[in-house]
């Protein structure tokens, strides 16, 4: 719907300009070119067919396509916009209906990486010169290609949105219409003045649904995920509830809390406050996955993180931990505003009963081991050197087996001035074998090596 919304706001800009001008824009060829030129970018080509109506009342487009160098990735047909030009005189963008009959999204366009943000900015909704009131947003059918969600799916969508005076509300619901029933809903509201966030997210699917496929849940069960919270950002808490076949499997909370300004620091009015954040999730997830993974998860897992986001963009994670029957992982992390670490410490171990082979919950082919250990350390306050090591025992995957694998790494991280990272990676493996005899002979039983890399911003 992004291009539909962009189309709407482009019309708003033209409408606001023309509201002061008695000369109408009735040339459909001109309007079509105007829409295409304003929606296209250097990497994206937008083309429309069959523009009907005018920019100042009901209008429609038979087809809109969006393409990149690899071809068309988005096609929308039967677009309809019904809005009130007269409402602009009262400083309102009033849309009765913004609808699309069919949307075909074959794939997602390549993303662009963005540089890390520096100093954090206070979160605010835009305060437009007009009130935006979209009473109905509707898409009868949205066909998603298998590369997007891992399986092809067709959804319907309806909703509404309003933005006025720095406060906004959205309410959208999508329903699956081509397979097992599923409902996906998000209702959210926020006010710049009160800083109150209302959040209500729901995913509720019958067996063999999209989420069960994405997560590869054993037996493809019915899944229900609910996330909800309503409070000022200075003391916000959201609860999470995940169910399988109507039985709760994971629950927890995510919290945000503002930290009072330091009275010794001047000019803090244009910056957000320091904000604490934490998350804690626990439950019995083993029934969600294949029985072979039960020794790894056990009957209880616990995940937690506690941290602080500073006004200058730095992030400090004071505690990070993950525990299952076989896994113990913990650490800390401080990130500079430029995205590089200023400090980290990580240690972890995977091990079951002595000699027990553990299947790992990794995507793709079956992967197992008997034990693994990892550690890493860096502190810019004592120097720019970092170290890490890892040891794995009795690793197997896709016919490959390794009795012992050891990785030792060290290097430097420059966190001030020009960003620079260097690494020296030494590895050694013994007891190597493969079910394919030719591969086994080619690899031999031992392997060692060294890799070196340097990166400068």
């Amino acid at each position: 719907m992004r291009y539909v919304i962009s189309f709407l706001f482009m019309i708003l800009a033209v409408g606001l300009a023309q509201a002061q001008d008695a000369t109408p824009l009735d040339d459909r060829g001109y309007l079509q070119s105007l829409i295409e030129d304003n929606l296209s970018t250097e990497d994206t080509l937008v083309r429309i067919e069959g523009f009907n109506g005018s920019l100042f009342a009901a209008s429609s487009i038979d087809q809109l396509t969006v393409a990149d160098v690899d071809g068309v990735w988005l096609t929308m047909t039967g677009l309809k916009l019904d809005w009130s030009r007269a409402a602009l005189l009262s400083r309102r963008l009033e849309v009765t209906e913004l609808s699309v009959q069919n949307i075909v999204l074959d794939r997602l366009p390549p993303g662009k990486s963005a540089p890390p943000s520096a100093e954090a900015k206070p979160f605010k909704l835009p305060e437009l010169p007009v009130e935006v009131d979209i009473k109905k947003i509707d898409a009868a059918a949205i066909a998603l290609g298998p590369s997007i969600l891992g399986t092809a799916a067709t959804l319907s969508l309806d909703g509404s949105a309003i933005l006025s005076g720095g406060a906004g509300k959205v309410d959208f619901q999508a329903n699956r219409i081509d397979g097992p029933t599923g409902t996906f809903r998000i209702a959210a509201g926020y006010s710049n003045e009160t800083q109150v966030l209302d959040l209500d997210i729901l995913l509720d699917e019958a067996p063999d649904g999209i989420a069960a496929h994405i997560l590869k849940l054993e037996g493809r069960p019915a899944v229900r995920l609910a996330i909800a919270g309503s409070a000022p950002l200075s003391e916000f808490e959201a609860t999470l509830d995940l169910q399988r076949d109507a039985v709760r499997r994971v629950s927890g909370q995510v919290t945000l809390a503002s930290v009072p300004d330091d009275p010794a620091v001047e000019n803090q009015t244009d910056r957000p406050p320091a904000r604490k954040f934490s998350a804690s999730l626990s439950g019995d997830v083993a029934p969600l996955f294949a029985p072979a993974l039960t020794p790894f998860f056990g009957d209880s897992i616990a995940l937690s993180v506690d941290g602080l986001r500073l006004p200058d963009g730095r992030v400090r994670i004071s505690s990070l931990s993950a525990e299952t029957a076989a896994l113990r992982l913990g650490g800390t992390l401080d990130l500079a505003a430029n995205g590089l670490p200023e400090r980290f410490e990580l240690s972890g171990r995977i091990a079951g009963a002595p000699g027990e082979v553990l299947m790992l919950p990794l995507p793709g082919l079956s992967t197992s081991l008997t034990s693994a250990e990892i550690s890493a350390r860096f502190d810019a306050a004592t120097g720019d050197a970092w170290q890490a090591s890892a040891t794995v025992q009795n690793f197997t995957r896709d016919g490959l087996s390794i009795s012992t694998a050891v990785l030792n790494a060290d290097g430097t991280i420059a966190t001030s001035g020009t960003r620079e990272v260097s690494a020296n990676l030494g590895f050694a493996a013994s007891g190597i074998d493969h079910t394919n005899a030719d591969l086994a002979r080619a690899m031999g039983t031992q392997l060692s090596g060294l890799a070196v890399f340097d990166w400068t911003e």
Side-chain angles (χ1 to χ4, degrees):
M1 294 294 287
R2 168 191 160 195
Y3 285 90
V4 180
I5 301 296
S6 299
F7 170 54
L8 171 65
F9 281 99
M10 189 210 69
I11 287 177
L12 167 63
V14 177
L16 288 173
Q18 287 295 311
Q20 309 299 323
D21 190 342
T23 304
L25 288 176
D26 292 326
D27 184 348
R28 287 193 177 92
Y30 169 78
L31 295 180
Q32 180 168 318
S33 298
L34 179 70
I35 296 169
E36 291 178 342
D37 292 345
N38 279 273
L39 294 184
S40 297
T41 66
E42 181 180 349
D43 303 316
T44 302
L45 180 65
V46 176
R47 285 290 177 260
I48 67 173
E49 296 179 9
F51 179 85
N52 301 290
S54 93
L55 288 179
F56 307 125
S59 58
S60 64
I61 294 176
D62 291 342
Q63 179 173 279
L64 183 150
T65 60
V66 184
D68 56 21
V69 293
D70 296 320
V72 173
W73 55 271
L74 173 65
T75 301
M76 294 187 283
T77 57
L79 288 80
K80 180 180 179 182
L81 174 64
D82 187 0
W83 71 297
S84 171
R85 184 189 184 193
L88 292 177
L89 301 176
S90 301
R91 306 184 70 81
R92 298 193 330 274
L93 174 59
E94 189 174 285
V95 178
T96 303
E97 180 181 358
L98 176 60
S99 63
V100 184
Q101 190 63 34
N102 290 287
I103 298 176
V104 178
L105 183 60
D106 293 319
R107 58 180 172 85
L108 295 176
K112 290 186 176 181
S113 59
S117 59
E119 185 172 343
K121 302 296 183 183
F123 174 74
K124 285 187 177 181
L125 292 176
E127 298 192 19
L128 301 176
V130 296
E131 174 185 319
V132 178
D133 184 3
I134 307 176
K135 301 183 183 301
K136 180 180 181 181
I137 298 177
D138 176 74
I142 305 174
L144 304 177
S147 65
I148 298 173
L149 297 176
T151 181
T154 302
L155 313 171
S156 65
L157 174 71
D158 64 82
S160 61
I162 186 169
L163 178 61
S164 176
K169 292 182 179 181
V170 296
D171 192 342
F172 290 101
Q173 179 167 313
N175 296 300
R176 190 170 184 185
I177 58 177
D178 71 330
T181 58
T183 298
F184 315 90
R185 182 173 184 264
I186 176 168
Y190 182 75
S191 167
N192 291 339
E193 181 178 357
T194 65
Q195 294 192 340
V196 171
L197 172 63
D198 295 308
L199 185 64
D200 188 358
I201 299 174
L202 175 66
L203 179 152
D204 194 356
E205 288 191 288
D208 204 32
I210 296 172
H213 275 272
I214 292 175
L215 299 175
K216 300 186 183 336
L217 301 184
E218 181 70 7
R220 303 297 190 260
V223 176
R224 186 181 190 276
L225 172 65
I227 302 173
S230 179
L233 288 182
S234 58
E235 50 185 26
F236 184 79
E237 177 178 306
T239 59
L240 179 147
D241 181 83
L242 174 64
Q243 300 180 10
R244 169 200 163 117
D245 291 332
V247 177
R248 176 179 293 172
R249 290 301 175 187
V250 178
S251 61
Q253 298 81 36
V254 177
T255 62
L256 298 173
S258 296
V259 178
D261 291 337
D262 185 345
V265 179
E266 299 180 351
N267 301 323
Q268 300 184 78
T269 56
D270 294 332
R271 301 193 306 174
R275 202 177 299 279
K276 293 181 180 179
F277 59 87
S278 65
S280 177
L281 302 176
S282 61
D284 179 9
V285 302
L288 297 173
F289 300 97
L293 293 173
T294 298
F296 180 87
F297 289 114
D299 58 9
S300 178
I301 67 160
L303 308 173
S304 66
V305 61
D306 291 284
L308 179 68
R309 167 84 179 194
L310 298 171
D312 60 6
R314 288 179 295 159
V315 176
R316 295 176 178 172
I317 297 178
S318 57
S319 173
L320 170 67
S321 68
E323 294 187 8
T324 72
L327 170 68
R328 295 291 184 275
L329 180 68
T332 61
L333 172 66
D334 289 357
L335 291 176
N338 63 13
L340 286 181
E342 294 181 322
R343 183 175 67 89
F344 60 75
E345 186 169 355
L346 178 70
S347 61
R349 176 175 172 79
I350 298 175
E356 180 182 23
V357 176
L358 292 169
M359 299 295 296
L360 300 183
L362 298 177
L365 300 170
S366 175
T367 304
S368 66
L369 49 75
T370 57
S371 67
E373 294 189 23
I374 184 173
S375 66
R377 182 176 290 105
F378 169 68
D379 190 345
T382 61
D384 61 1
W386 65 271
Q387 302 86 33
S389 64
T391 302
V392 178
Q393 300 288 345
N394 300 311
F395 173 89
T396 63
R397 180 180 173 92
D398 192 26
L400 172 67
S401 61
I402 302 175
S403 296
T404 302
V406 178
L407 171 69
N408 290 299
D410 59 51
T412 60
I413 301 175
T415 58
S416 60
T418 302
R419 296 187 298 165
E420 297 182 50
V421 178
S422 70
N424 306 297
L425 310 175
F427 60 92
S430 60
I432 302 174
D433 197 7
H434 201 285
T435 54
N436 183 303
D438 292 334
L439 285 176
R441 284 193 298 270
M443 291 186 295
T445 60
Q446 297 188 34
L447 180 67
S448 62
L450 177 68
V452 179
F453 79 82
D454 292 277
W455 173 80
T456 301
E457 184 178 20

